[in-house]
Amino acid sequence: MTKQVALITGGALGIGFGISTRLALDGFNLVLSGRRDASEVAESIESLQAHGAEVLYCSGDVSSSEDRSAMLEEIEKHFGRLDVLVNNAGVAPTIRADILEASEESYDRVMNINLKGPYFLTQAVANWMIKQKNADSEFNGCIINIGSISATVVSVARGDYCVSKAGIGMMSSLFAARLGEFNIPVFEIRPGIIKSNMTAGVTEKYDRLIFETDLCILKRWGVPEDIGKLAAAMARGDLPYATGQVIYVDGGMTVQRL
Ligand SMILES: NC(=O)c1ccc[n+]([C@@H]2O[C@H](COP(=O)([O-])OP(=O)(O)OC[C@H]3O[C@@H](n4cnc5c(N)ncnc54)[C@H](O)[C@@H]3O)[C@@H](O)[C@H]2O)c1
Ligand SMILES: O=C(O)C(=O)C[C@H](O)[C@H](O)CO
C-alpha cells in the first residue's frame, strides 16, 4: 500500500516534533517545514528516519507566499502526493506587552505567521487534496490545526497571540464546512502549557500555575507527545463521523469550576 504523506509545519521541533514522531511511528512519510536550516535539525530528521519515515525538510517562512509555493512544488516533485496537513508552526510575541501598549509590528508578525500563513497554506493544500481525491482511490485527506487555549483564555500581555489563535478557531470551522463535500475532515487541537522552546523562558511562571494553584486538574506540564498522540489519531482516521471539532489538550485547565 502507498505510504501516506503528512506535512507538519514547524515539524522538527517542539510540539511539531511530537506530532512528526508519532506519525513516523504510525507509518507516514513526512514533510517538515521550519525557519531553520536542515543542518540545524539533522538530529530530529535522523530520529524520524530511524522510525521508518522518508523525510523531506523544507526550510522557509510559513508567512511568505513564495516560500509556501516553493514548498508545495518540492513536495509534488518529491512525493507526488499529500494526505495530511498539520498547521503547527507558530510564534508567541517576542515581548510580552500590555494590549494598551503593544506594537503594531508585533501584531503583524504574530498574525502573519500564526494566522495568515496557515490560512493560505490550507487554501492551497485543500485545492491540491480535492484534485487528489478525485484521482486516487487510496487518498484519505485530513487537516489539523494547532490552536491554543489562548483562543478562549484571555492573556492581556499577549493580545496579538490570543487574537491569532481565536482566528484559527474560525479558520478550522470554515474549512471544515467547505471541505465536507469532499470528505476531508478538519480538526483543531488546543494545547495548554506544553514543554517546548516557546515556554522555555517562562518555566517558573508556569511551574507556579501548574503546581501551586488548582488551575491544571492533571497537575503536570503537557509534553509534545500528548499532542502527537491525538494528532496521529486524527490523521489515521480514528475519529470517524467527526469534523470541525476542537479538542483541548490542557490537563483540564479550561474546565470551569466554582
Ligand atoms: N508550547 C505551548 O505551551 C503551546 C501552547 C498552546 C499552543 N501552542 C502552539 O503550538 C505550536 C507549536 O509551538 P511550540 O510550543 O512547539 O513552539 P516552538 O517554538 O518550540 O516551535 C515552533 C516551530 O514553528 C516553527 N516556526 C516558527 N515560525 C515559523 C515561520 N515563520 N515559518 C515556518 N516555521 C516557523 C519553528 O521553526 C519551530 O519548528 C504553535 O502554533 C503554538 O502557538 C504552544
Ligand atoms: O499558547 C499558549 O497558550 C501558551 O501558553 C503559549 C506559550 O506558553 C506562551 O506564549 C509563552 O510565552
Side-chain angles (χ1 to χ4, degrees):
M1 214 178 85
T2 316
K3 269 196 161 199
Q4 291 199 4
V5 177
L7 162 60
I8 305 104
T9 64
L13 299 166
I15 291 176
F17 185 60
I19 297 170
S20 312
T21 300
R22 195 64 251 170
L23 289 174
L25 289 167
D26 284 354
F28 286 81
N29 283 334
L30 303 173
V31 183
L32 316 179
S33 79
R35 283 170 311 177
R36 291 170 206 237
D37 221 54
S39 60
E40 295 174 86
V41 292
E43 213 176 294
S44 297
I45 295 174
E46 280 159 26
S47 143
L48 297 167
Q49 287 166 333
H51 293 317
E54 187 177 338
V55 181
L56 172 68
Y57 183 78
C58 300
S59 176
D61 182 344
V62 77
S63 68
S64 147
S65 104
E66 292 79 29
D67 288 3
R68 290 193 304 271
S69 301
M71 173 172 73
L72 294 180
E73 263 174 44
E74 225 178 311
I75 301 171
E76 173 77 68
K77 248 190 256 153
H78 189 92
F79 285 117
R81 63 183 297 120
L82 186 54
D83 301 271
V84 175
L85 166 65
V86 186
N87 282 306
N88 163 77
V91 289
T94 323
I95 309 165
R96 287 179 176 241
D98 190 294
I99 44 165
L100 294 180
E101 283 146 22
S103 71
E104 201 167 325
E105 190 189 354
S106 171
Y107 184 94
D108 284 345
R109 171 177 170 268
V110 170
M111 292 297 278
N112 283 341
I113 296 172
N114 290 8
L115 187 55
K116 191 193 84 173
Y119 187 96
F120 287 104
L121 181 61
T122 303
Q123 182 190 66
V125 168
N127 280 306
W128 183 354
M129 284 180 170
I130 290 166
K131 274 196 220 127
Q132 205 171 284
K133 182 110 203 161
N134 293 332
D136 176 358
S137 59
E138 284 187 76
F139 174 76
N140 197 9
C142 176
I143 295 173
I144 301 163
N145 298 320
I146 305 302
S148 169
I149 54 170
S150 296
T152 51
V153 175
V154 165
S155 173
V156 291
R158 298 183 303 146
D160 41 23
Y161 185 81
C162 293
V163 170
S164 73
K165 292 301 182 178
I168 287 288
M170 178 50 82
M171 182 186 115
S172 302
S173 303
L174 285 164
F175 279 101
R178 186 64 185 87
L179 297 180
E181 68 178 281
F182 306 102
N183 203 22
I184 298 171
V186 180
F187 299 108
E188 182 182 344
I189 301 176
R190 291 189 176 160
I193 296 174
I194 314 292
K195 282 269 178 201
S196 75
N197 282 340
M198 192 178 271
T199 47
V202 275
T203 48
E204 275 175 33
K205 176 187 156 90
Y206 285 149
D207 273 346
R208 267 199 308 280
L209 275 180
I210 293 168
F211 300 111
E212 293 170 28
T213 73
D214 65 0
L215 182 72
C216 178
I217 295 177
L218 297 182
K219 282 266 176 289
R220 72 163 171 87
W221 279 77
V223 289
E225 192 188 2
D226 295 325
I227 313 300
K229 283 181 176 164
L230 177 58
M234 290 167 167
R236 286 193 310 259
D238 286 351
L239 280 71
Y241 199 49
T243 188
Q245 293 306 306
V246 176
I247 303 187
Y248 285 81
V249 181
D250 65 352
M253 277 184 204
T254 44
V255 175
Q256 272 197 342
R257 285 155 281 162
L258 280 176

